[in-house]
Amino acid sequence: MFEDKTLVCKECGNEFVFTAGEQEFYAEHGFQNEPQRCKSCRDARKASLNGGAPRAQRQFFTAVCARCGGEARVPFEPQSDRPVYCSSCFAEIRAGR
């Protein structure tokens, strides 16, 4: 269905391949536009937008699930006045079960 395409980077002017797999990924996610920069220029742009610093690792906190009592790892610092749920309990609550 998809075939590799050779595109020209708008940043450096070099050619790069937009693979069939990448095209399929774009189509599955509803992306309308083809990439305009090669991988190295995209990486350099991301680094410059982040002040040149590497992307920070997300910090996780451990808490007790308010529903099942199991361990819950969450990307925010739990507060004593709000319940925290493990991922499976959270998914069930979100699904309305």
Side-chain angles (χ1 to χ4, degrees):
M1 182 156 138
F2 294 103
E3 292 184 23
D4 289 358
K5 289 184 184 180
T6 301
L7 304 176
V8 177
C9 178
K10 78 175 197 178
E11 198 78 27
C12 67
N14 291 331
E15 291 184 346
F16 66 97
V17 177
F18 184 33
T19 67
E22 291 170 328
Q23 292 174 51
E24 186 175 350
F25 175 85
Y26 271 52
E28 287 173 359
H29 289 84
F31 299 142
Q32 300 290 320
N33 301 319
E34 295 179 341
Q36 299 199 1
R37 291 178 178 84
C38 64
K39 175 139 176 56
S40 59
C41 287
R42 283 194 315 264
D43 291 344
R45 182 175 162 88
K46 285 178 190 175
S48 71
L49 293 174
N50 194 21
R55 199 170 196 175
Q57 290 291 327
R58 180 177 270 189
Q59 181 178 5
F60 283 88
F61 298 87
T62 303
V64 176
C65 176
R67 189 172 187 199
C68 72
E71 182 179 288
R73 289 184 31 88
V74 293
F76 57 87
E77 191 165 7
Q79 310 237 331
S80 60
D81 62 333
R82 309 246 0 222
V84 174
Y85 303 103
C86 65
S87 58
S88 58
C89 288
F90 182 76
E92 288 178 10
I93 291 167
R94 197 166 203 194
R97 291 186 237 150

